Amino acid sequence: MNSGVIKHLLGIKGLQTHQIESIFETADNFSELLKAPVKKTPALRDITIANLFFENSTRTRVSFELAEKRLGADVVNFSSSSSSVKKGETLIDTVNNILSMKVDMIVMRHPAPGACQFLSKHVDSQIINAGDGTHEHPTQALLDAFSIRNHFNGSIAGKKVLIVGDIKHSRVALSNIYCLQLLGAEVMVCGPATLIPKHIEKLGVKVSHNLDEALKWADVANMLRIQLERQDARFFPSLKEYSNLYGLNMERLNRLDKELLIMHPGPINRGVEISSEVADSANSIILQQVENGVAIRMAVLFLLAQRNL
Ligand code: CP
């Protein structure tokens, strides 16, 4: 737990509830700004931010860049596939070279768990974690919780949030668990035993291997993608079998006699963890999550730059 103002956003672990609430209140203001004809403020006009993506991304990368530009920051984008990392340069050397060009903040996605924490100890810059391997994805958890809060008119406390799928390889799941629990929600994870980390109950979450039973318990279902790119073994016999047991479809939803809020961090694999009909249904807030991501990232960048988080 931190005991004051934070310099970096490396994960949800270590944040305090009042810091998350401060991000949400600031994001409320930026959400209003983003609905106005002029969507920009010069709040970060003297700040230069480098977005370093060592792994593929659509939503997080575009969302951070839009958030930075709407705050008036100067932005440079770096992709490992077209950089001198391919020639053998270390992460620290790469980042120190970028910082020597008078860059103030680093937003980084990296496949190695702990890469952002490591970098924060070795370079002189503020670091924001945009997803580090199977570890954390803090701004995704913040935008997910912000979306739940807004849907339920401002409160998450007491809500039952079910996270379904590949919990073992998911940074979104871990950050969501930390964030939702800080805000007073109950969390259950559901999936095949092979995709649920051993001892996850120690984090205070419930565990189910039966999606239909778990859905009866839940107010919210956050459906996760199978992270095939992080799997070095087969964790279930086939995608069809996975989908039959753990995919969210209309048949399953129609068996529930209640409204369920449907979420997904993206990218979606339609027909695997979620059917198209459910993803595009009235109860799905998948695109609202993406929309909220810009306001949340503006809030994080703004508060960190002001050293006010
Ligand atoms: N939710 C998420 O992190 O998506 P991207 O990988 O496209 O950034």
Side-chain angles (χ1 to χ4, degrees):
M1 183 177 287
N2 76 76
S3 55
V5 174
I6 57 169
K7 180 176 177 184
H8 315 284
L9 181 63
L10 303 175
I12 299 293
K13 190 170 185 184
L15 282 187
Q16 297 177 50
T17 307
H18 74 85
Q19 290 168 312
I20 296 175
E21 284 166 353
S22 170
I23 292 169
F24 287 180
E25 282 159 23
T26 309
D28 283 336
N29 293 329
F30 287 132
S31 287
E32 288 304 310
L33 176 73
L34 293 173
K35 291 187 189 106
V38 178
K39 298 174 174 54
K40 290 187 80 164
T41 162
L44 296 193
R45 72 176 162 212
D46 298 325
I47 303 279
T48 303
I49 304 173
N51 299 315
L52 312 188
F53 278 71
F54 293 86
E55 202 184 57
N56 295 342
S57 170
T58 300
R59 281 145 290 273
T60 312
R61 184 176 178 147
V62 174
S63 181
F64 265 113
E65 187 173 346
L66 277 175
E68 291 153 3
K69 288 182 170 168
R70 286 175 173 163
L71 288 167
D74 289 323
V75 179
V76 285
N77 289 306
F78 164 98
S79 156
S80 61
S81 58
S82 56
S83 76
S84 290
V85 169
K86 293 273 175 207
K87 300 175 192 165
E89 192 168 58
T90 67
L91 177 63
I92 293 172
D93 281 339
T94 298
V95 173
N96 273 331
N97 276 270
I98 290 168
L99 291 175
S100 71
M101 292 181 253
K102 309 299 175 211
V103 165
D104 303 292
M105 293 175 96
I106 298 285
V107 173
M108 186 169 82
R109 169 167 289 192
H110 200 283
C116 294
Q117 193 137 22
F118 170 78
L119 195 63
S120 72
K121 292 188 182 353
H122 291 92
V123 303
D124 184 19
S125 175
Q126 289 184 280
I127 311 287
I128 299 176
N129 182 357
D132 60 333
T134 54
H135 180 221
E136 281 226 40
H137 193 348
T139 56
Q140 180 69 47
L142 289 165
L143 76 87
D144 288 343
F146 184 70
S147 302
I148 297 171
R149 159 199 186 258
N150 291 359
H151 180 85
F152 290 112
N153 299 320
S155 179
I156 291 186
K159 292 288 173 292
K160 294 175 175 167
V161 182
L162 177 66
I163 307 175
V164 183
D166 184 0
I167 311 299
K168 188 182 183 83
H169 300 98
S170 175
R171 55 195 174 211
V172 173
L174 188 60
S175 288
N176 260 270
I177 289 168
Y178 291 141
C179 190
L180 291 166
Q181 288 183 336
L182 276 172
L183 296 169
E186 287 184 64
V187 183
M188 181 187 286
V189 295
C190 177
T194 48
L195 290 178
I196 306 276
K198 285 196 183 85
H199 312 303
I200 195 166
E201 298 90 342
K202 289 188 179 157
L203 291 180
V205 301
K206 300 181 189 342
V207 178
S208 169
H209 303 300
N210 182 321
L211 180 57
D212 293 300
E213 288 301 316
L215 289 171
K216 283 185 206 159
W217 172 87
D219 301 310
V220 179
N222 193 354
M223 306 305 296
L224 303 184
R225 180 176 67 90
I226 301 291
Q227 311 253 313
L228 291 172
E229 73 276 23
R230 297 189 210 289
Q231 297 183 3
D232 51 11
R234 288 185 69 145
F235 290 88
F236 46 85
S238 70
L239 281 180
K240 185 162 176 13
E241 182 154 347
Y242 177 83
S243 184
N244 285 344
L245 289 173
Y246 295 105
L248 192 54
N249 53 36
M250 272 299 170
E251 203 184 325
R252 282 212 150 93
L253 281 188
N254 289 338
R255 285 202 290 265
L256 301 171
D257 57 351
K258 63 176 181 185
E259 294 287 307
L260 185 73
L261 187 67
I262 315 291
M263 303 177 69
H264 195 306
I268 295 175
N269 286 155
R270 288 174 183 263
V272 181
E273 72 276 7
I274 190 167
S275 71
S276 276
E277 218 183 344
V278 173
D280 302 332
S281 68
N283 287 354
S284 159
I285 58 163
I286 294 172
L287 291 180
Q288 278 156 265
Q289 291 172 255
V290 179
E291 181 179 334
N292 287 334
V294 179
I296 281 289
R297 291 179 174 116
M298 287 174 80
V300 167
L301 291 161
F302 176 76
L303 292 168
L304 282 178
Q306 309 290 322
R307 300 294 173 104
N308 199 14
L309 186 60

